[in-house]
Amino acid sequence: MTIDEIESGLSERGWAAIDLPDPSAIFEARDRLLGHLRKSFPALDRLDDYHLHVSDDDRHVAILHDLATFYWEAALGRPIVAGNLALFRRLIGPDLHVQPFPYLRAVRPGVTADAAPLHRDTYYGASPFEVSVVVPFTDMDAAAAVRVVSGSHLAPDSAYRYTQTVSDEISIGSPKHQLGFAYAPRLLDPQLMDVAEPVPLQVGQALLFPLQLVHGGGINTSRRTRFSTDIRLANSLAPVQWSRGVREDYFVPLTTSAVTSAAKAFLAANAAAGKSGQ
């Protein structure tokens, strides 16, 4: 897929599935996640078979939170972006912020509680200037894939009204909340699943979309556990709330253009001069 085709897909459909130019960091992250899990499950040969070892839901949340903590502390998400920086700077801009604690997902076959329903992240404080980069660590066929509603990124909120609910099992700052599950879910009409389309991906590919797009994991009806990460990026000059939700450092600077660096230095110099002249 050419850069023009990617930009056209993002503009017209609201999403694009792409082959990342340098997928090496994805394979490294996958292998290190598997290695961490094998400390508890020595017989686990691949992430796809995780569900054969963990069936209890509470245990699954504890294991996934531990795995996500390892993923964050080892900073395995950032190299995925850094290795493909030229592409993301072309699509989003030379000044970028990145999510330092990207979400790690593990959706077992047939387990409703593991999957996120269709939603818009802008209903939870996200900005339409943010882009989600969904990166699989296991191949996702249509039965396991993330689903999207093409064109929904251009529709007003009135086209996708939600029902406000409160979770009985998720609280602010809880492990499940840190894993990306809402404590006060805003549920869209479940009939939207009839028009949502799966986006199959293989390891080394990624799904890109802005956060007003209606999307969701949906129930995994395949025979594999679906492992993935979603890393958020935003233009540093966009009107985005950088601290939110469960973390103060929800976003951190990644790259800064020469012009922006000079502009910031100039503004800082003026501010310092103004204070010294008082």
Side-chain angles (χ1 to χ4, degrees), residues 225-243:
T225 297
R226 179 179 73 216
F227 268 92
S228 64
T229 185
D230 38 287
I231 309 169
R232 295 185 180 182
L233 295 171
N235 190 303
S236 302
L237 305 181
V240 173
Q241 182 179 344
W242 304 119
S243 298

Side-chain angles (χ1 to χ4, degrees), residues 111-146:
V111 182
T112 305
D114 288 0
L118 289 175
H119 63 284
R120 265 183 163 172
D121 285 292
T122 47
Y123 287 160
Y124 298 98
S127 165
F129 289 95
E130 296 172 43
V131 173
S132 182
V133 183
V134 178
V135 178
F137 294 125
T138 55
D139 290 343
M140 299 179 183
D141 60 14
V146 173

